[in-house]
Amino acid sequence: MISSYLKAGKIVSKVRDDASKLIKDGMPVLELVNHVEGSIRSEGSEPAFPCNVSINDVTAHYTSPPGDKTLIKEGDLVKLDLGAHVDGFIADTAITVAVGDADERCYVMMDAAREALEDALATIRAGVEVGEIGRVIEEKIHSHGMKPVANLTGHSMDRWILHSGLSIPNITERNPHLLEEGDVLAIEPFATDGVGLVTDMPETHIFRFLRDRPLRLVHARRVLGRIKEEYHALPFAQRWLEEYFEPKRLNASMRMLIQSRAIYPYHVLREKSGALVAQWEHTVIVEKDGCTVITE
């Protein structure tokens, strides 16, 4: 188990660092996500979820839909969030890149999120209250004159489960739950100069298997079977399924699967006031006197 976590962490660290150097004005987002996901596979693992490329006020859950024409532009603040798994053991990491001649506030936000992550990691050990991590993150982000995003959190992970029940806050809150040795956590501060809240957008490009359901369409049953077999309970992108299914029929089946609650759609999230957001993230394994960061 530990060796699988370490292998997944090493892979996503390498892919993250390599991909962050490719981000530039005029780059198609679809090219970036395909590069990241392809690199994860070529390194000997599988994506734990679709590569997220969230730009400016878009905060999370954006991955390219089929045929995406979105381009990265000069001055954009790009959040690159990626994960890999080895036999279901997951490593999750994120970085923010300012493209070209970005506004100075972008760099302040980036510093706030990165330093908040560093302070949080220095706090983690067995026996620490979860609420203490949120306090440390919020204080560091406030020290830069920014706000944490209050309704986004880090999370615990388990085999084949990206969000396994424990939320790690980015703000001060009373949470006396104590970390335990062996916990696997994704710590991910978000910093903004907006109101510090995210809201749903209409778009959904990432999905997750929920349950088997009685379905009228044979094609929808086939799609659901493929999803269950290929991705277990991990998030996936519709564009991944186009390798197996014709796009027009796939669209109809996906609508049915959502309506029947066989799969869960993740809405793209944006900062409520339209402000820029920066993100930094590492995965850690909690130890008695500290933690091992597997995505450094």
Side-chain angles (χ1 to χ4, degrees):
M1 180 183 74
I2 296 297
S3 62
S4 295
Y5 275 124
L6 294 175
K7 180 178 179 181
K10 184 176 180 180
I11 289 170
V12 291
S13 300
K14 180 180 186 300
V15 174
R16 176 199 63 216
D17 293 347
D18 290 347
S20 66
K21 297 170 186 173
L22 301 177
I23 296 173
K24 62 181 180 180
D25 179 33
M27 185 179 199
V29 171
L30 182 57
E31 179 183 327
L32 180 58
V33 298
N34 282 338
H35 171 82
V36 167
E37 293 164 4
S39 296
I40 288 171
R41 294 184 177 105
S42 68
E43 291 286 341
S45 62
E46 289 292 325
F49 53 87
C51 174
N52 286 213
V53 178
S54 303
I55 301 173
N56 297 331
D57 63 320
V58 177
T59 307
H61 298 168
Y62 186 90
T63 195
S64 286
D68 190 15
K69 303 298 183 185
T70 305
L71 299 178
I72 294 168
K73 302 188 297 296
E74 180 81 11
D76 279 346
L77 195 63
V78 179
K79 294 162 287 295
L80 177 67
D81 190 345
L82 61 150
H85 76 86
V86 175
D87 196 26
F89 298 102
I90 303 165
D92 183 2
T93 187
I95 194 171
T96 300
V97 176
V99 181
D101 188 21
D103 190 279
E104 179 62 29
R105 62 185 173 149
C106 292
Y107 297 98
V108 176
M109 270 177 229
M110 291 164 63
D111 287 344
R114 185 181 63 253
E115 291 178 21
L117 177 57
E118 292 169 354
D119 285 4
L121 297 181
T123 304
I124 293 172
R125 66 183 185 281
V128 166
E129 289 190 2
V130 167
E132 175 65 8
I133 303 171
R135 184 191 67 78
V136 167
I137 289 172
E138 182 172 35
E139 284 189 1
K140 178 57 71 173
I141 291 175
H142 279 167
S143 75
H144 286 270
M146 299 290 165
K147 290 183 180 178
V149 175
N151 57 343
L152 284 179
T153 67
H155 49 95
S156 59
M157 296 186 289
D158 209 337
R159 191 181 184 193
W160 299 112
I161 305 174
L162 184 60
H163 293 251
S164 64
L166 182 62
S167 295
I168 310 299
N170 289 318
I171 58 171
T172 302
E173 64 175 43
R174 179 166 173 74
N175 187 334
H177 180 91
L178 302 180
L179 297 182
E180 297 180 10
E181 192 170 357
D183 284 345
V184 180
L185 309 174
I187 311 297
E188 50 181 321
F190 294 82
T192 182
D193 61 352
V195 297
L197 295 169
V198 292
T199 188
D200 288 352
M201 297 177 70
E203 296 93 334
T204 55
H205 307 310
I206 298 174
F207 309 89
R208 178 171 58 86
F209 174 81
L210 286 178
R211 61 183 69 87
D212 288 310
R213 301 287 285 177
L215 299 165
R216 179 173 52 86
L217 289 181
V218 173
H219 189 269
R221 294 200 296 270
R222 289 175 179 164
V223 172
L224 185 61
R226 173 64 67 172
I227 290 167
K228 183 178 179 181
E229 178 185 356
E230 289 286 325
Y231 313 122
H232 301 265
L234 293 175
F236 65 92
Q238 181 172 332
R239 58 186 160 79
W240 293 358
L241 293 168
E242 291 194 345
E243 177 182 351
Y244 309 105
F245 303 102
E246 188 273 326
K248 188 173 182 180
R249 295 187 72 189
L250 178 59
N251 287 337
S253 290
M254 289 292 288
R255 287 194 295 270
M256 176 170 283
L257 295 179
I258 294 168
Q259 290 167 2
S260 67
R261 298 184 181 178
I263 63 174
Y264 176 82
Y266 291 87
H267 285 267
V268 178
L269 302 175
R270 67 179 290 271
E271 207 281 332
K272 192 171 184 179
S273 62
L276 300 174
V277 180
Q279 173 196 15
W280 237 269
E281 180 179 17
H282 276 313
T283 297
V284 306
I285 301 175
V286 178
E287 298 174 343
K288 180 179 179 181
D289 299 314
C291 65
T292 295
V293 183
I294 67 171
T295 52
E296 278 190 318

